[in-house]
PDB file of all heavy atoms in Angstrom:
ATOM      1  N   ARG A 175     260.494 198.788  81.336  1.00 96.00           N
ATOM      2  CA  ARG A 175     259.721 200.003  81.270  1.00 96.00           C
ATOM      3  C   ARG A 175     258.812 200.080  80.013  1.00 96.00           C
ATOM      4  O   ARG A 175     257.651 200.466  80.039  1.00 96.00           O
ATOM      5  CB  ARG A 175     260.673 201.253  81.251  1.00 96.00           C
ATOM      6  CG  ARG A 175     261.335 201.491  82.619  1.00 96.00           C
ATOM      7  CD  ARG A 175     262.270 202.675  82.615  1.00 96.00           C
ATOM      8  NE  ARG A 175     262.544 203.101  83.994  1.00 96.00           N
ATOM      9  CZ  ARG A 175     263.763 203.277  84.461  1.00 96.00           C
ATOM     10  NH1 ARG A 175     264.819 203.187  83.691  1.00 96.00           N
ATOM     11  NH2 ARG A 175     263.924 203.643  85.714  1.00 96.00           N
ATOM     12  N   ASN A 182     258.795 203.957  86.914  1.00 93.00           N
ATOM     13  CA  ASN A 182     259.382 203.461  88.203  1.00 93.00           C
ATOM     14  C   ASN A 182     259.631 201.964  88.145  1.00 93.00           C
ATOM     15  O   ASN A 182     258.716 201.202  87.965  1.00 93.00           O
ATOM     16  CB  ASN A 182     258.393 203.799  89.303  1.00 93.00           C
ATOM     17  CG  ASN A 182     258.884 203.417  90.691  1.00 93.00           C
ATOM     18  OD1 ASN A 182     259.057 202.217  90.965  1.00 93.00           O
ATOM     19  ND2 ASN A 182     259.176 204.366  91.517  1.00 93.00           N
ATOM     20  N   ARG A 185     257.668 199.495  90.472  1.00 96.00           N
ATOM     21  CA  ARG A 185     256.285 199.278  89.977  1.00 96.00           C
ATOM     22  C   ARG A 185     256.282 198.460  88.700  1.00 96.00           C
ATOM     23  O   ARG A 185     255.423 197.611  88.478  1.00 96.00           O
ATOM     24  CB  ARG A 185     255.572 200.595  89.796  1.00 96.00           C
ATOM     25  CG  ARG A 185     255.123 201.185  91.168  1.00 96.00           C
ATOM     26  CD  ARG A 185     254.924 202.657  91.086  1.00 96.00           C
ATOM     27  NE  ARG A 185     253.770 203.030  90.326  1.00 96.00           N
ATOM     28  CZ  ARG A 185     252.712 203.738  90.737  1.00 96.00           C
ATOM     29  NH1 ARG A 185     252.716 204.090  92.023  1.00 96.00           N
ATOM     30  NH2 ARG A 185     251.764 204.082  89.999  1.00 96.00           N
ATOM     31  N   GLU A 188     256.625 194.920  89.565  1.00 97.00           N
ATOM     32  CA  GLU A 188     255.352 194.378  90.134  1.00 97.00           C
ATOM     33  C   GLU A 188     254.327 194.171  89.056  1.00 97.00           C
ATOM     34  O   GLU A 188     253.629 193.173  89.009  1.00 97.00           O
ATOM     35  CB  GLU A 188     254.858 195.287  91.193  1.00 97.00           C
ATOM     36  CG  GLU A 188     255.784 195.280  92.445  1.00 97.00           C
ATOM     37  CD  GLU A 188     255.409 196.382  93.501  1.00 97.00           C
ATOM     38  OE1 GLU A 188     254.670 197.323  93.166  1.00 97.00           O
ATOM     39  OE2 GLU A 188     255.941 196.230  94.589  1.00 97.00           O
ATOM     40  N   GLU A 204     275.462 198.092  84.476  1.00 92.00           N
ATOM     41  CA  GLU A 204     276.451 198.423  85.533  1.00 92.00           C
ATOM     42  C   GLU A 204     275.777 198.707  86.849  1.00 92.00           C
ATOM     43  O   GLU A 204     276.453 198.800  87.887  1.00 92.00           O
ATOM     44  CB  GLU A 204     277.259 199.631  85.096  1.00 92.00           C
ATOM     45  CG  GLU A 204     276.504 200.881  84.973  1.00 92.00           C
ATOM     46  CD  GLU A 204     277.344 202.137  85.036  1.00 92.00           C
ATOM     47  OE1 GLU A 204     278.405 202.171  85.617  1.00 92.00           O
ATOM     48  OE2 GLU A 204     276.869 203.217  84.489  1.00 92.00           O
ATOM     49  N   PHE A 216     264.267 191.620  95.581  1.00 98.00           N
ATOM     50  CA  PHE A 216     265.669 191.460  95.910  1.00 98.00           C
ATOM     51  C   PHE A 216     266.500 192.350  94.946  1.00 98.00           C
ATOM     52  O   PHE A 216     266.178 192.402  93.773  1.00 98.00           O
ATOM     53  CB  PHE A 216     266.063 189.950  95.824  1.00 98.00           C
ATOM     54  CG  PHE A 216     267.525 189.667  96.031  1.00 98.00           C
ATOM     55  CD1 PHE A 216     268.131 189.981  97.249  1.00 98.00           C
ATOM     56  CD2 PHE A 216     268.282 189.077  95.005  1.00 98.00           C
ATOM     57  CE1 PHE A 216     269.477 189.680  97.461  1.00 98.00           C
ATOM     58  CE2 PHE A 216     269.650 188.777  95.257  1.00 98.00           C
ATOM     59  CZ  PHE A 216     270.255 189.119  96.473  1.00 98.00           C
ATOM     60  N   ALA A 217     267.510 192.966  95.445  1.00 98.00           N
ATOM     61  CA  ALA A 217     268.375 193.850  94.624  1.00 98.00           C
ATOM     62  C   ALA A 217     269.836 193.453  94.818  1.00 98.00           C
ATOM     63  O   ALA A 217     270.252 193.216  95.950  1.00 98.00           O
ATOM     64  CB  ALA A 217     268.102 195.271  94.951  1.00 98.00           C
ATOM     65  N   VAL A 223     283.497 195.504  88.533  1.00 96.00           N
ATOM     66  CA  VAL A 223     284.495 195.292  87.473  1.00 96.00           C
ATOM     67  C   VAL A 223     285.253 196.590  87.193  1.00 96.00           C
ATOM     68  O   VAL A 223     284.617 197.608  86.900  1.00 96.00           O
ATOM     69  CB  VAL A 223     283.820 194.772  86.198  1.00 96.00           C
ATOM     70  CG1 VAL A 223     284.811 194.741  85.034  1.00 96.00           C
ATOM     71  CG2 VAL A 223     283.219 193.371  86.472  1.00 96.00           C
ATOM     72  N   ARG A 224     286.570 196.536  87.262  1.00 94.00           N
ATOM     73  CA  ARG A 224     287.341 197.745  87.046  1.00 94.00           C
ATOM     74  C   ARG A 224     287.578 198.104  85.588  1.00 94.00           C
ATOM     75  O   ARG A 224     287.824 199.229  85.245  1.00 94.00           O
ATOM     76  CB  ARG A 224     288.722 197.645  87.741  1.00 94.00           C
ATOM     77  CG  ARG A 224     288.634 198.023  89.206  1.00 94.00           C
ATOM     78  CD  ARG A 224     289.812 197.607  90.021  1.00 94.00           C
ATOM     79  NE  ARG A 224     289.513 197.804  91.374  1.00 94.00           N
ATOM     80  CZ  ARG A 224     288.663 197.035  92.099  1.00 94.00           C
ATOM     81  NH1 ARG A 224     288.069 195.973  91.504  1.00 94.00           N
ATOM     82  NH2 ARG A 224     288.421 197.276  93.344  1.00 94.00           N
ATOM     83  N   GLU A 225     287.445 197.064  84.701  1.00 94.00           N
ATOM     84  CA  GLU A 225     287.668 197.365  83.300  1.00 94.00           C
ATOM     85  C   GLU A 225     286.584 196.595  82.505  1.00 94.00           C
ATOM     86  O   GLU A 225     286.809 195.397  82.250  1.00 94.00           O
ATOM     87  CB  GLU A 225     289.102 197.043  82.868  1.00 94.00           C
ATOM     88  CG  GLU A 225     289.481 197.605  81.523  1.00 94.00           C
ATOM     89  CD  GLU A 225     290.962 197.664  81.343  1.00 94.00           C
ATOM     90  OE1 GLU A 225     291.538 198.670  81.823  1.00 94.00           O
ATOM     91  OE2 GLU A 225     291.542 196.793  80.750  1.00 94.00           O
ATOM     92  N   ARG A 256     267.948 184.034  95.444  1.00 98.00           N
ATOM     93  CA  ARG A 256     268.929 185.098  95.747  1.00 98.00           C
ATOM     94  C   ARG A 256     270.275 184.713  95.325  1.00 98.00           C
ATOM     95  O   ARG A 256     271.040 185.531  94.784  1.00 98.00           O
ATOM     96  CB  ARG A 256     268.873 185.360  97.264  1.00 98.00           C
ATOM     97  CG  ARG A 256     267.622 186.051  97.788  1.00 98.00           C
ATOM     98  CD  ARG A 256     267.567 186.003  99.318  1.00 98.00           C
ATOM     99  NE  ARG A 256     266.325 186.488  99.874  1.00 98.00           N
ATOM    100  CZ  ARG A 256     266.086 187.798 100.114  1.00 98.00           C
ATOM    101  NH1 ARG A 256     267.014 188.706  99.980  1.00 98.00           N
ATOM    102  NH2 ARG A 256     264.903 188.184 100.595  1.00 98.00           N
ATOM    103  N   ARG A 294     279.182 189.308  98.207  1.00 97.00           N
ATOM    104  CA  ARG A 294     278.553 189.295  99.498  1.00 97.00           C
ATOM    105  C   ARG A 294     279.121 190.307 100.480  1.00 97.00           C
ATOM    106  O   ARG A 294     278.433 191.012 101.174  1.00 97.00           O
ATOM    107  CB  ARG A 294     278.675 187.889 100.064  1.00 97.00           C
ATOM    108  CG  ARG A 294     277.620 187.492 101.041  1.00 97.00           C
ATOM    109  CD  ARG A 294     277.944 186.117 101.654  1.00 97.00           C
ATOM    110  NE  ARG A 294     277.659 184.955 100.813  1.00 97.00           N
ATOM    111  CZ  ARG A 294     276.463 184.350 100.720  1.00 97.00           C
ATOM    112  NH1 ARG A 294     275.425 184.899 101.356  1.00 97.00           N
ATOM    113  NH2 ARG A 294     276.322 183.316  99.990  1.00 97.00           N
ATOM    114  N   SER A 295     280.472 190.410 100.455  1.00 96.00           N
ATOM    115  CA  SER A 295     281.118 191.427 101.339  1.00 96.00           C
ATOM    116  C   SER A 295     280.882 192.789 100.868  1.00 96.00           C
ATOM    117  O   SER A 295     280.705 193.777 101.676  1.00 96.00           O
ATOM    118  CB  SER A 295     282.583 191.011 101.412  1.00 96.00           C
ATOM    119  OG  SER A 295     283.395 192.149 101.408  1.00 96.00           O
ATOM    120  N   PHE A 296     280.790 192.983  99.535  1.00 96.00           N
ATOM    121  CA  PHE A 296     280.610 194.339  98.913  1.00 96.00           C
ATOM    122  C   PHE A 296     279.195 194.893  99.414  1.00 96.00           C
ATOM    123  O   PHE A 296     279.077 196.112  99.445  1.00 96.00           O
ATOM    124  CB  PHE A 296     280.585 194.081  97.396  1.00 96.00           C
ATOM    125  CG  PHE A 296     280.549 195.357  96.580  1.00 96.00           C
ATOM    126  CD1 PHE A 296     281.310 196.490  96.849  1.00 96.00           C
ATOM    127  CD2 PHE A 296     279.803 195.371  95.411  1.00 96.00           C
ATOM    128  CE1 PHE A 296     281.309 197.573  96.047  1.00 96.00           C
ATOM    129  CE2 PHE A 296     279.733 196.497  94.566  1.00 96.00           C
ATOM    130  CZ  PHE A 296     280.500 197.621  94.896  1.00 96.00           C
ATOM    131  N   SER A 298     277.538 193.734 102.232  1.00 95.00           N
ATOM    132  CA  SER A 298     277.274 193.293 103.628  1.00 95.00           C
ATOM    133  C   SER A 298     276.971 194.527 104.479  1.00 95.00           C
ATOM    134  O   SER A 298     277.760 195.398 104.718  1.00 95.00           O
ATOM    135  CB  SER A 298     278.491 192.528 104.116  1.00 95.00           C
ATOM    136  OG  SER A 298     278.425 192.486 105.498  1.00 95.00           O
ATOM    137  N   LEU A 299     275.720 194.536 104.964  1.00 93.00           N
ATOM    138  CA  LEU A 299     275.226 195.665 105.746  1.00 93.00           C
ATOM    139  C   LEU A 299     275.087 195.257 107.226  1.00 93.00           C
ATOM    140  O   LEU A 299     274.449 194.339 107.558  1.00 93.00           O
ATOM    141  CB  LEU A 299     273.858 196.136 105.255  1.00 93.00           C
ATOM    142  CG  LEU A 299     273.154 197.251 105.977  1.00 93.00           C
ATOM    143  CD1 LEU A 299     273.969 198.446 106.048  1.00 93.00           C
ATOM    144  CD2 LEU A 299     271.814 197.477 105.355  1.00 93.00           C
TER     145      LEU A 299
ATOM    146  N   ARG B 175     282.547 211.034  87.729  1.00 96.00           N
ATOM    147  CA  ARG B 175     283.076 210.794  86.364  1.00 96.00           C
ATOM    148  C   ARG B 175     283.849 212.088  85.901  1.00 96.00           C
ATOM    149  O   ARG B 175     284.904 211.998  85.344  1.00 96.00           O
ATOM    150  CB  ARG B 175     282.047 210.325  85.400  1.00 96.00           C
ATOM    151  CG  ARG B 175     281.609 208.984  85.683  1.00 96.00           C
ATOM    152  CD  ARG B 175     280.460 208.456  84.669  1.00 96.00           C
ATOM    153  NE  ARG B 175     280.376 207.003  84.732  1.00 96.00           N
ATOM    154  CZ  ARG B 175     279.216 206.328  84.833  1.00 96.00           C
ATOM    155  NH1 ARG B 175     278.033 207.008  84.929  1.00 96.00           N
ATOM    156  NH2 ARG B 175     279.224 205.024  84.908  1.00 96.00           N
ATOM    157  N   THR B 181     285.350 206.814  83.308  1.00 92.00           N
ATOM    158  CA  THR B 181     283.968 206.436  83.051  1.00 92.00           C
ATOM    159  C   THR B 181     283.535 205.292  84.072  1.00 92.00           C
ATOM    160  O   THR B 181     282.433 205.273  84.533  1.00 92.00           O
ATOM    161  CB  THR B 181     283.740 205.917  81.613  1.00 92.00           C
ATOM    162  OG1 THR B 181     284.224 206.895  80.769  1.00 92.00           O
ATOM    163  CG2 THR B 181     282.401 205.616  81.312  1.00 92.00           C
ATOM    164  N   ASN B 182     284.435 204.335  84.251  1.00 93.00           N
ATOM    165  CA  ASN B 182     284.094 203.228  85.161  1.00 93.00           C
ATOM    166  C   ASN B 182     284.010 203.722  86.626  1.00 93.00           C
ATOM    167  O   ASN B 182     284.981 204.309  87.119  1.00 93.00           O
ATOM    168  CB  ASN B 182     285.233 202.157  85.003  1.00 93.00           C
ATOM    169  CG  ASN B 182     284.973 200.943  85.912  1.00 93.00           C
ATOM    170  OD1 ASN B 182     285.008 201.056  87.086  1.00 93.00           O
ATOM    171  ND2 ASN B 182     284.699 199.782  85.255  1.00 93.00           N
ATOM    172  N   ARG B 185     286.611 202.507  89.289  1.00 96.00           N
ATOM    173  CA  ARG B 185     287.931 203.204  89.222  1.00 96.00           C
ATOM    174  C   ARG B 185     287.758 204.707  89.551  1.00 96.00           C
ATOM    175  O   ARG B 185     288.672 205.238  90.129  1.00 96.00           O
ATOM    176  CB  ARG B 185     288.411 203.069  87.720  1.00 96.00           C
ATOM    177  CG  ARG B 185     289.003 201.660  87.580  1.00 96.00           C
ATOM    178  CD  ARG B 185     289.071 201.248  86.094  1.00 96.00           C
ATOM    179  NE  ARG B 185     289.994 202.023  85.350  1.00 96.00           N
ATOM    180  CZ  ARG B 185     291.015 201.488  84.631  1.00 96.00           C
ATOM    181  NH1 ARG B 185     291.197 200.166  84.649  1.00 96.00           N
ATOM    182  NH2 ARG B 185     291.813 202.202  83.936  1.00 96.00           N
ATOM    183  N   GLU B 188     287.978 204.937  93.235  1.00 97.00           N
ATOM    184  CA  GLU B 188     289.366 204.709  93.726  1.00 97.00           C
ATOM    185  C   GLU B 188     290.203 205.899  93.417  1.00 97.00           C
ATOM    186  O   GLU B 188     291.067 206.334  94.221  1.00 97.00           O
ATOM    187  CB  GLU B 188     289.911 203.442  93.090  1.00 97.00           C
ATOM    188  CG  GLU B 188     289.214 202.148  93.549  1.00 97.00           C
ATOM    189  CD  GLU B 188     289.585 200.915  92.829  1.00 97.00           C
ATOM    190  OE1 GLU B 188     290.182 200.974  91.736  1.00 97.00           O
ATOM    191  OE2 GLU B 188     289.226 199.812  93.355  1.00 97.00           O
ATOM    192  N   GLU B 204     268.322 206.676  91.578  1.00 92.00           N
ATOM    193  CA  GLU B 204     267.462 205.476  91.722  1.00 92.00           C
ATOM    194  C   GLU B 204     268.326 204.204  91.730  1.00 92.00           C
ATOM    195  O   GLU B 204     267.786 203.141  92.076  1.00 92.00           O
ATOM    196  CB  GLU B 204     266.453 205.356  90.584  1.00 92.00           C
ATOM    197  CG  GLU B 204     267.130 205.170  89.230  1.00 92.00           C
ATOM    198  CD  GLU B 204     266.154 204.630  88.133  1.00 92.00           C
ATOM    199  OE1 GLU B 204     265.183 203.962  88.473  1.00 92.00           O
ATOM    200  OE2 GLU B 204     266.348 204.967  86.953  1.00 92.00           O
ATOM    201  N   PHE B 216     281.709 199.454  99.258  1.00 98.00           N
ATOM    202  CA  PHE B 216     280.384 199.036  99.735  1.00 98.00           C
ATOM    203  C   PHE B 216     279.340 199.557  98.727  1.00 98.00           C
ATOM    204  O   PHE B 216     279.493 200.705  98.304  1.00 98.00           O
ATOM    205  CB  PHE B 216     280.167 199.535 101.149  1.00 98.00           C
ATOM    206  CG  PHE B 216     278.792 199.258 101.729  1.00 98.00           C
ATOM    207  CD1 PHE B 216     278.373 197.966 101.864  1.00 98.00           C
ATOM    208  CD2 PHE B 216     277.968 200.269 102.068  1.00 98.00           C
ATOM    209  CE1 PHE B 216     277.108 197.670 102.424  1.00 98.00           C
ATOM    210  CE2 PHE B 216     276.687 200.043 102.601  1.00 98.00           C
ATOM    211  CZ  PHE B 216     276.270 198.762 102.750  1.00 98.00           C
ATOM    212  N   ALA B 217     278.359 198.762  98.444  1.00 98.00           N
ATOM    213  CA  ALA B 217     277.340 199.242  97.495  1.00 98.00           C
ATOM    214  C   ALA B 217     275.965 198.984  98.070  1.00 98.00           C
ATOM    215  O   ALA B 217     275.744 197.959  98.772  1.00 98.00           O
ATOM    216  CB  ALA B 217     277.460 198.476  96.231  1.00 98.00           C
ATOM    217  N   VAL B 223     261.299 202.750  96.379  1.00 96.00           N
ATOM    218  CA  VAL B 223     260.216 203.692  96.452  1.00 96.00           C
ATOM    219  C   VAL B 223     259.338 203.483  95.237  1.00 96.00           C
ATOM    220  O   VAL B 223     259.778 203.483  94.143  1.00 96.00           O
ATOM    221  CB  VAL B 223     260.737 205.138  96.454  1.00 96.00           C
ATOM    222  CG1 VAL B 223     259.598 206.142  96.336  1.00 96.00           C
ATOM    223  CG2 VAL B 223     261.522 205.367  97.751  1.00 96.00           C
ATOM    224  N   ARG B 224     258.031 203.316  95.510  1.00 94.00           N
ATOM    225  CA  ARG B 224     257.053 203.034  94.428  1.00 94.00           C
ATOM    226  C   ARG B 224     256.582 204.288  93.684  1.00 94.00           C
ATOM    227  O   ARG B 224     256.116 204.234  92.547  1.00 94.00           O
ATOM    228  CB  ARG B 224     255.902 202.300  94.937  1.00 94.00           C
ATOM    229  CG  ARG B 224     256.091 200.800  95.005  1.00 94.00           C
ATOM    230  CD  ARG B 224     255.082 200.052  95.835  1.00 94.00           C
ATOM    231  NE  ARG B 224     255.611 198.639  96.038  1.00 94.00           N
ATOM    232  CZ  ARG B 224     256.598 198.335  96.763  1.00 94.00           C
ATOM    233  NH1 ARG B 224     257.182 199.278  97.486  1.00 94.00           N
ATOM    234  NH2 ARG B 224     257.071 197.115  96.900  1.00 94.00           N
ATOM    235  N   GLU B 225     256.727 205.424  94.384  1.00 93.00           N
ATOM    236  CA  GLU B 225     256.262 206.654  93.709  1.00 93.00           C
ATOM    237  C   GLU B 225     257.218 207.772  94.036  1.00 93.00           C
ATOM    238  O   GLU B 225     257.115 208.329  95.132  1.00 93.00           O
ATOM    239  CB  GLU B 225     254.830 206.955  94.147  1.00 93.00           C
ATOM    240  CG  GLU B 225     254.206 208.047  93.234  1.00 93.00           C
ATOM    241  CD  GLU B 225     252.682 208.024  93.343  1.00 93.00           C
ATOM    242  OE1 GLU B 225     252.085 207.160  92.642  1.00 93.00           O
ATOM    243  OE2 GLU B 225     252.133 208.823  94.131  1.00 93.00           O
ATOM    244  N   ARG B 256     278.919 201.567 106.934  1.00 98.00           N
ATOM    245  CA  ARG B 256     277.908 200.809 106.160  1.00 98.00           C
ATOM    246  C   ARG B 256     276.528 201.171 106.613  1.00 98.00           C
ATOM    247  O   ARG B 256     275.630 201.372 105.767  1.00 98.00           O
ATOM    248  CB  ARG B 256     278.107 199.290 106.339  1.00 98.00           C
ATOM    249  CG  ARG B 256     279.363 198.734 105.665  1.00 98.00           C
ATOM    250  CD  ARG B 256     279.674 197.304 106.131  1.00 98.00           C
ATOM    251  NE  ARG B 256     280.938 196.800 105.640  1.00 98.00           N
ATOM    252  CZ  ARG B 256     281.036 196.064 104.484  1.00 98.00           C
ATOM    253  NH1 ARG B 256     279.993 195.829 103.739  1.00 98.00           N
ATOM    254  NH2 ARG B 256     282.203 195.655 104.090  1.00 98.00           N
ATOM    255  N   ARG B 294     267.679 196.009 104.440  1.00 97.00           N
ATOM    256  CA  ARG B 294     268.559 194.895 104.744  1.00 97.00           C
ATOM    257  C   ARG B 294     267.979 193.611 104.177  1.00 97.00           C
ATOM    258  O   ARG B 294     268.737 192.803 103.606  1.00 97.00           O
ATOM    259  CB  ARG B 294     268.636 194.755 106.272  1.00 97.00           C
ATOM    260  CG  ARG B 294     269.895 194.125 106.774  1.00 97.00           C
ATOM    261  CD  ARG B 294     269.795 193.914 108.272  1.00 97.00           C
ATOM    262  NE  ARG B 294     270.096 195.106 109.062  1.00 97.00           N
ATOM    263  CZ  ARG B 294     271.301 195.479 109.413  1.00 97.00           C
ATOM    264  NH1 ARG B 294     272.389 194.834 108.994  1.00 97.00           N
ATOM    265  NH2 ARG B 294     271.463 196.583 110.208  1.00 97.00           N
ATOM    266  N   SER B 295     266.669 193.453 104.247  1.00 96.00           N
ATOM    267  CA  SER B 295     266.079 192.211 103.727  1.00 96.00           C
ATOM    268  C   SER B 295     266.069 192.230 102.209  1.00 96.00           C
ATOM    269  O   SER B 295     266.268 191.217 101.511  1.00 96.00           O
ATOM    270  CB  SER B 295     264.661 192.065 104.290  1.00 96.00           C
ATOM    271  OG  SER B 295     263.740 191.697 103.340  1.00 96.00           O
ATOM    272  N   PHE B 296     265.933 193.442 101.623  1.00 96.00           N
ATOM    273  CA  PHE B 296     265.917 193.632 100.156  1.00 96.00           C
ATOM    274  C   PHE B 296     267.236 193.215  99.560  1.00 96.00           C
ATOM    275  O   PHE B 296     267.303 192.719  98.413  1.00 96.00           O
ATOM    276  CB  PHE B 296     265.678 195.149  99.917  1.00 96.00           C
ATOM    277  CG  PHE B 296     265.502 195.576  98.465  1.00 96.00           C
ATOM    278  CD1 PHE B 296     264.650 194.846  97.609  1.00 96.00           C
ATOM    279  CD2 PHE B 296     266.034 196.726  98.003  1.00 96.00           C
ATOM    280  CE1 PHE B 296     264.409 195.214  96.291  1.00 96.00           C
ATOM    281  CE2 PHE B 296     265.801 197.124  96.689  1.00 96.00           C
ATOM    282  CZ  PHE B 296     265.006 196.380  95.876  1.00 96.00           C
ATOM    283  N   SER B 298     269.441 191.040 101.227  1.00 95.00           N
ATOM    284  CA  SER B 298     269.969 189.893 101.977  1.00 95.00           C
ATOM    285  C   SER B 298     270.307 188.757 101.042  1.00 95.00           C
ATOM    286  O   SER B 298     269.438 188.129 100.451  1.00 95.00           O
ATOM    287  CB  SER B 298     268.989 189.485 103.036  1.00 95.00           C
ATOM    288  OG  SER B 298     269.226 188.218 103.499  1.00 95.00           O
ATOM    289  N   LEU B 299     271.623 188.365 100.972  1.00 93.00           N
ATOM    290  CA  LEU B 299     272.073 187.347 100.026  1.00 93.00           C
ATOM    291  C   LEU B 299     272.406 186.064 100.844  1.00 93.00           C
ATOM    292  O   LEU B 299     273.239 186.109 101.712  1.00 93.00           O
ATOM    293  CB  LEU B 299     273.327 187.838  99.305  1.00 93.00           C
ATOM    294  CG  LEU B 299     274.004 186.880  98.354  1.00 93.00           C
ATOM    295  CD1 LEU B 299     272.998 186.353  97.320  1.00 93.00           C
ATOM    296  CD2 LEU B 299     275.208 187.526  97.696  1.00 93.00           C
TER     297      LEU B 299
END
Side-chain angles (χ1 to χ4, degrees):
Chain A
R175 286 177 164 132
N182 181 293
R185 284 158 70 121
E188 292 171 346
E204 66 160 333
F216 176 60
V223 170
R224 276 166 191 74
E225 193 160 276
R256 290 170 185 270
R294 206 187 281 277
S295 138
F296 189 41
S298 162
L299 177 58
Chain B
R175 286 178 165 133
T181 306
N182 181 294
R185 282 157 69 123
E188 292 170 346
E204 66 160 333
F216 177 61
V223 170
R224 274 165 192 74
E225 194 160 277
R256 290 169 185 269
R294 206 187 280 277
S295 137
F296 189 42
S298 162
L299 177 58

